[in-house]
Amino acid sequence: MVKICCIGAGYVGGPTMAVIALKCPDVQVVVVDISVPRITAWNSDQLPIYEPGLDDVVKQCRGKNLFFSTDVEKHVSEADIVFVSVNTPTKTRGLGAGKAADLTYWESAARMIADVSKSDKIVVEKSTVPVKTAEAIEKILTHNSKGINFQILSNPEFLAEGTAIEDLFKPDRVLIGGRETAGGQKAIQALKAVYAHWVPEENIITTNLWSAELSKLAANAFLAQRISSVNAMSALCEATGANVSEVAYAVGKDTRIGPKFLNASVGFGGSCFQKDILNLVYICECNGLPEVAEYWKQVIKINDYQKSRFVNRVVASMFNTVSSKKIAILGFAFKKDTGDTRETPAIDVCKGLLGDKACVSIYDPQVTEDQIQRDLTLNKFDWDHPLHLQPMSPTTVKQVAVVWDAYAATKDAHAVCILTEWDEFKSLDYQRIYDNMQKPAFIFDGRNVVDIEKLREIGFIVYSIGKPLDAWLKDMPAIA
Ligand code: UDX
Ligand code: UDX
Ligand code: ADP
């Protein structure tokens, strides 16, 4: 029986290993993590991450060929294939701060593998890492190897949160990069055999190590670029009276462009896009390619612009002040169907409104109050460095309320901001919400989920990203 061990039981490691266990009954999978609460949760009925369909997969395999453990060293030493899926946050200090990936967790995992291994192993990079990380890891492993043979593979994961299980069941492609030596090719085949249990052969791409590493950064950069492109258009649509949904539909009909991933929004979030682009920018700069770096930086600049444009629109529409006004925030997660808030645009929007002294009342069906309070008091990039947590500032606590339903959030509010596209926000009783709000009542839809005409009939002043502005908003131009 092939034994797989995955270091890191997070958003990537957990679901990926659960699906490998489900699809490969002849493979034993152990997911290990240094975090005791995380592993305890994986072994309980309350999994540590919310992901549609995940509970079901875990229930089917846990205790049979899927195990979660904190005994990291034991399971690594027994494994044939070790996946490394630890966090790679952006560095917050020192060389490359704010851009380069922090490989501390990766390096300590590699040193531990070298220490405890007694047999040959295939070590698989699963977390997104800068190009040439495999080379560095290879050096750590071989310099400490005591004669053991390590083969390094890069096998980036392309799943998106909220649809992780679907994405893992039917991936567009599985990408495996390895050394072009006989040993490297053998390792590639061994990992390919695992995926071949359920992924058609033609969808398993094999490349050299660097191509695999770079493809992951490139794919995320291209996806983020599409969103920044449509978001840039949304600003122009508002200025000219065009409708961004109509423009995106017409553009996406061109088969060379395609219809997906063209929804204008208040901005992209999530743990990958910004981090990977910053990483890409840093690599370009280190390789003497400032023009290329500048090109990709612009994707992040437009994303930041979109978020501040949204805040400015809110403040400008409400007579240029939101001081002491109650603003309901519907949705805090970075997208629907996840409880993850890493880099969510809601953080920047809320911070912007709080900076203008608003009182925000936040509702999200999956994010806890504790998480929201922490997100609103941490500095950029600190989210992935739990050790640097700072105490909460008392003023922010007073200005932020977290409530457990949309009606409580909107009661007596001056405005509603929709920041996550949760399905339930489409079918709220907006008449009831309107009746309980201060007048004039505003809705700022950062995800284009509401029926603008219906809401205008009720009496709301409605702003929706990239849609023609109503007369009120035209008279109160936002200066970005
Ligand atoms: C992304 C990639 O999609 C995935 O392949 C990679 O493995 C990890 O990074 P994820 O961040 O989980 O996945 O979610 P994704 O669906 O890509 O959304 C990212 C952000 O873009 C979200 O904030 C989402 O709301 C936003 N988005 C997405 C838009 O604003 N408009 C769109 O059309 C699509
Ligand atoms: C373009 C649009 O495709 C078309 O829809 C529009 O109506 C007019 O402009 P055209 O300029 O005739 O058409 O040719 P196109 O095939 O788009 O190529 C434009 C340039 O891009 C060419 O120089 C081509 O060599 C280059 N190109 C195209 C690339 O360098 N790489 C590619 O992958 C595709
Ligand atoms: P991702 O979204 O990439 O999966 P997460 O932050 O959700 O990232 O998960 C990474 C996990 O890796 C965390 O649960 C963390 O505790 C774990 N981890 C980090 N370093 C180590 C290590 N050296 N050994 C075991 N687990 C680790």
Side-chain angles (χ1 to χ4, degrees):
M1 195 173 197
V2 176
K3 285 190 176 172
I4 290 180
C5 177
C6 174
I7 307 175
Y11 284 93
V12 173
T16 310
M17 291 304 126
V19 168
I20 290 183
L22 181 78
K23 299 291 187 181
C24 311
D26 56 333
V27 173
Q28 190 206 68
V29 182
V30 185
V31 189
V32 295
D33 203 295
I34 38 176
S35 161
V36 176
R38 258 211 168 166
I39 290 299
T40 308
W42 278 108
N43 281 319
S44 75
D45 286 337
Q46 195 67 47
L47 300 185
I49 60 178
Y50 171 70
E51 191 62 66
L54 177 64
D55 281 30
D56 219 37
V57 175
V58 171
K59 266 193 205 125
Q60 285 183 62
C61 319
R62 198 171 51 192
K64 288 186 193 138
N65 66 331
L66 174 65
F67 304 90
F68 296 92
S69 168
T70 49
D71 198 344
V72 180
E73 300 189 354
K74 170 174 182 277
H75 293 289
V76 168
S77 89
E78 289 173 358
D80 307 298
I81 304 178
V82 180
F83 284 84
V84 185
S85 189
V86 300
N87 22 349
T88 48
T90 305
K91 274 184 87 170
T92 53
R93 55 195 73 186
L95 190 66
K99 283 188 216 153
D102 181 345
L103 292 174
T104 315
Y105 302 99
W106 238 106
E107 185 176 338
S108 89
R111 289 186 185 278
M112 184 271 298
I113 297 172
D115 272 356
V116 305
S117 292
K118 294 187 198 72
S119 55
D120 292 355
K121 294 198 191 317
I122 297 173
V123 177
V124 187
E125 273 181 352
K126 201 61 177 158
S127 6
T128 314
V129 287
V131 184
K132 300 254 161 172
T133 299
E135 195 165 65
I137 300 308
E138 207 169 41
K139 282 190 182 131
I140 293 175
L141 290 173
T142 47
H143 278 280
N144 297 282
S145 77
K146 304 161 286 189
I148 291 164
N149 180 15
F150 290 106
Q151 281 299 332
I152 313 288
L153 298 178
S154 165
N155 171 221
E157 184 47 61
F158 294 100
L159 68 80
E161 286 173 35
T163 54
I165 299 300
E166 247 172 83
D167 295 343
L168 287 162
F169 279 2
K170 279 180 96 81
D172 286 347
R173 77 309 210 179
V174 166
L175 179 57
I176 305 174
R179 284 277 180 208
E180 280 135 334
T181 58
Q185 293 304 307
K186 200 170 150 219
I188 289 179
Q189 291 310 320
L191 185 57
K192 196 172 168 182
V194 172
Y195 287 106
H197 280 76
W198 78 100
V199 180
E201 182 125 357
E202 64 273 20
N203 290 353
I204 306 180
I205 306 171
T206 60
T207 65
N208 73 29
L209 273 177
W210 326 135
S211 298
E213 287 179 328
L214 186 56
S215 299
K216 176 63 200 266
L217 291 181
N220 276 344
F222 276 49
L223 288 169
Q225 181 202 46
R226 274 174 84 89
I227 302 168
S228 279
S229 297
V230 76
N231 282 345
M233 283 299 159
S234 75
L236 188 56
C237 286
E238 287 165 31
T240 56
N243 178 331
V244 75
S245 301
E246 292 175 356
V247 173
Y249 180 76
V251 170
K253 271 288 180 189
D254 186 323
T255 53
R256 295 169 299 178
I257 298 171
K260 292 183 185 165
F261 242 72
L262 286 178
N263 294 318
S265 66
V266 58
F268 60 74
S271 73
C272 288
F273 284 175
Q274 170 158 317
K275 182 180 77 180
D276 289 352
I277 293 176
L278 287 172
N279 208 331
L280 193 61
V281 165
Y282 184 67
I283 297 169
C284 292
E285 285 170 351
C286 292
N287 282 286
L289 302 169
E291 289 81 2
V292 185
E294 214 39 55
Y295 174 77
W296 288 110
K297 250 190 227 166
Q298 200 58 31
V299 173
I300 292 179
K301 282 194 195 157
I302 287 287
N303 198 47
D304 288 337
Y305 166 73
Q306 189 74 347
K307 291 181 276 190
S308 61
R309 202 168 76 76
F310 186 86
V311 173
N312 290 347
R313 180 70 78 185
V314 175
V315 178
S317 310
M318 299 169 74
F319 315 102
N320 260 326
T321 176
V322 288
S323 181
S324 304
K325 290 178 183 164
K326 176 175 173 179
I327 300 192
I329 303 292
L330 299 188
F332 198 83
F334 82 96
K335 62 188 276 197
K336 73 171 181 177
D337 293 338
T338 177
D340 194 354
T341 61
R342 291 179 289 178
E343 294 296 334
T344 176
I347 294 177
D348 288 335
V349 170
C350 288
K351 281 187 173 172
L353 295 172
L354 291 169
D356 238 294
K357 302 211 186 81
C359 295
V360 296
S361 182
I362 305 172
Y363 164 66
D364 186 287
Q366 284 297 334
V367 184
T368 62
E369 168 161 15
D370 190 45
Q371 184 64 47
I372 291 174
Q373 294 285 9
R374 221 172 327 144
D375 285 336
L376 292 180
T377 48
L378 287 179
N379 292 324
K380 221 172 168 55
F381 301 125
D382 278 351
W383 53 267
D384 219 4
H385 293 266
L387 298 179
H388 307 150
L389 285 187
Q390 290 158 353
M392 223 178 290
S393 97
T395 41
T396 312
V397 177
K398 233 176 39 202
Q399 280 174 266
V400 177
V402 178
V403 296
W404 285 105
D405 110 15
Y407 299 103
T410 54
K411 187 162 176 8
D412 296 324
H414 292 260
V416 177
C417 296
I418 300 177
L419 301 184
T420 313
E421 72 284 19
W422 287 101
D423 288 337
E424 64 180 72
F425 299 154
K426 292 182 187 153
S427 52
L428 290 171
D429 181 349
Y430 281 100
Q431 183 66 56
R432 176 178 161 199
I433 288 177
Y434 180 80
D435 293 342
N436 288 323
M437 281 176 67
Q438 311 268 356
K439 308 296 173 326
F442 297 86
I443 288 201
F444 300 92
D445 181 2
R447 296 289 185 168
N448 286 344
V449 291
V450 299
D451 182 335
I452 303 177
E453 291 315 317
K454 241 195 208 153
L455 293 190
R456 284 189 183 141
E457 264 167 40
I458 292 174
F460 283 106
I461 295 163
V462 188
Y463 165 76
S464 220
I465 301 269
K467 299 294 172 75
L469 300 176
D470 59 17
W472 180 289
L473 297 162
K474 273 190 202 149
D475 292 342
M476 304 257 188
I479 305 140

